[in-house]
Amino acid sequence: MSSTQARIIGTGSYLPARIMTNAEFESRIDTSDAWIRERTGIEQRHVAAEGETTSDLALVAAQRALEAAGVGVSEVDLIVVGTTTPDIIFPSTACLLQHKLGAKDCPAFDVNAACTGFLYALSIAEKFVRTGAARTALVVGAETLTRMLDWNDRGTCVLFGDGAGAVVLRADSQLGVISTHIHADGQYQNLLYNPVGVSAGFKDEPNHGVRVMMSGNEVFRVAVRTLSRIVDETLAANQLSKDSIDWLVPHQANLRIISATAKHLDMPMDRVIVTVNKHGNTSSGSVPLALDHGIRSGLIKPGQLLLLEAFGGGFTWGSALVRL
Ligand code: ACO
């Protein structure tokens, strides 16, 4: 067994300039700032500019992560991007990002696991690094979710935003990503999905039928249950007690889902990174955005133990235990 570990040595993130507040919805649909805040914790979200694509968001997040890590583009030997909103059908967003970064030759591919995309990408990349197949991996979660919203559906359009986060993973002898756990259960596809695509076909509807279809209440219940299970699984796999975790870095979908997971872990909210109020649900972007915020704001300190988790369409869910 190789003793090579995969450490996170730099993080970065990017949110598009345009901020859309809850108040902006009030004049368009039957909703209110108070309802959105109370039910979700969301105050605002960022919306990509016209022509600004997922790979553009990923590029800035990746450049910031590389700068924080002190790593040059030429050292990157693997790029994995978690996204469910690729720029185009192919080439992958990872290939577009590779070119924009000025990187060459290294493998680059996307992972679609909806909101769990970043944790899937991290889980794959850490195995490349641990086995010696890569030494320096760029792992990104990036989305332009607002492009697939039905702005008349109040049950979904208030929830999502655009954004990207990235980490640089480096082979090291010290512990970093200690364990990752990823799962899926396709039987729930009809609770959260986008109904159209190249193979199933598009529709003669606004935005070609591209929209988020969601049974919010049921998704909420399964998410709370499943996230409790995955944090238990992560602790048990590492023979850790709840109080050994310094920070919970959760998927930022809904403050009530985050609070329920924190409660299950007996963690006070001052040890939970919360950014959902500032950018809504950015799907694959959300965990690395929260991680970067935690690190850059000085909340998360070197050497601390972090539990990252996410849940999303599929259903998919996953976690990572990380020593920073
Ligand atoms: N403004 C005002 N009223 C609304 C809005 C809105 N934006 N959206 C729904 N409502 C109404 C509903 O129509 C319903 O009205 P009714 O009682 O007259 O029928 C009422 O509010 C209650 O609806 P519920 O769906 O029961 O409300 P709930 O408290 O469950 O909150 C929400 C809805 C916020 C979508 C919640 O279920 C949720 O967050 N679910 C998780 C979904 C999620 O996060 N999905 C993202 C991807 S998966 C993931 O990342 C976890």
Side-chain angles (χ1 to χ4, degrees):
M1 260 272 278
S2 159
S3 64
T4 305
Q5 304 295 324
R7 282 193 58 221
I8 293 177
I9 59 165
T11 63
S13 61
Y14 173 71
L15 290 162
R18 156 107 165 92
I19 291 174
M20 186 173 178
T21 62
N22 291 345
E24 283 189 57
F25 286 104
E26 290 179 346
S27 56
R28 299 186 190 184
I29 52 172
D30 183 15
T31 191
S32 67
D33 175 45
W35 191 97
I36 301 169
R37 277 176 200 255
E38 193 182 306
R39 298 295 181 106
T40 71
I42 298 166
E43 295 161 17
Q44 61 177 47
R45 71 284 299 138
H46 291 246
V47 179
E50 208 181 320
E52 192 177 31
T53 61
T54 296
S55 69
D56 293 327
L57 275 52
L59 176 65
V60 184
Q63 285 169 330
R64 289 177 178 167
L66 289 167
E67 196 187 342
V71 163
V73 170
S74 61
E75 295 173 67
V76 173
D77 54 11
L78 172 70
I79 300 175
V80 190
V81 175
T83 189
T84 191
T85 47
D87 290 28
I88 52 177
I89 291 159
F90 73 89
S92 69
T93 304
C95 286
L96 303 179
L97 172 64
Q98 182 202 45
H99 180 63
K100 286 180 181 179
L101 273 171
K104 276 200 171 58
D105 290 340
C106 68
F109 57 90
D110 290 356
V111 180
N112 179 352
C115 298
T116 319
F118 175 77
L119 283 168
Y120 267 61
L122 185 68
S123 181
I124 293 164
E126 64 106 354
K127 286 168 186 66
F128 272 73
V129 173
R130 276 179 198 260
T131 58
R135 180 167 180 269
T136 308
L138 186 58
V139 187
V140 183
E143 304 277 8
T144 45
L145 249 298
T146 63
R147 300 262 159 78
M148 62 158 80
L149 293 179
D150 173 352
W151 294 98
N152 294 313
D153 177 9
R154 67 177 183 173
T156 54
C157 72
V158 302
L159 302 176
F160 298 95
D162 302 331
V167 306
V168 178
L169 274 189
R170 175 53 77 77
D172 201 297
S173 56
Q174 277 179 42
L175 268 182
V177 180
I178 299 167
S179 70
T180 57
H181 309 261
I182 54 174
H183 298 275
D185 188 343
Q187 72 170 307
Y188 293 108
Q189 61 170 304
N190 290 331
L191 293 185
L192 181 56
Y193 66 110
N194 188 317
V196 297
V198 176
S199 188
F202 291 89
K203 294 182 180 167
D204 191 14
E205 289 175 7
N207 210 19
H208 309 287
V210 175
R211 60 191 297 235
V212 176
M213 310 277 285
M214 184 176 73
S215 307
N217 213 285
E218 286 169 81
V219 173
F220 188 97
R221 282 201 296 272
V222 184
V224 168
R225 228 178 26 238
T226 308
L227 288 169
S228 292
R229 267 207 333 264
I230 192 90
V231 298
D232 288 345
E233 176 188 329
T234 313
L235 293 175
N238 293 283
Q239 295 168 319
L240 288 173
S241 59
K242 292 175 175 178
D243 59 6
S244 42
I245 305 297
D246 293 305
W247 288 97
L248 177 65
V249 186
H251 172 45
Q252 310 286 320
N254 184 315
L255 187 57
R256 291 187 293 140
I257 297 176
I258 295 173
S259 305
T261 310
K263 193 167 169 214
H264 182 79
L265 276 172
D266 297 330
M267 289 189 85
M269 286 305 283
D270 60 7
R271 279 168 48 212
V272 180
I273 302 295
V274 175
T275 53
V276 68
N277 53 324
K278 295 294 175 209
H279 56 62
N281 184 349
T282 56
S283 189
S284 291
S286 110
V287 171
L289 267 159
L291 179 63
D292 187 49
H293 168 77
I295 290 172
R296 285 179 192 256
S297 64
L299 291 168
I300 298 175
K301 307 242 173 354
Q304 288 190 317
L305 193 61
L306 320 178
L307 180 47
L308 283 48
E309 48 85 337
F311 177 90
F315 288 144
T316 56
W317 61 102
S319 67
L321 185 73
V322 174
R323 177 73 69 188
L324 201 66

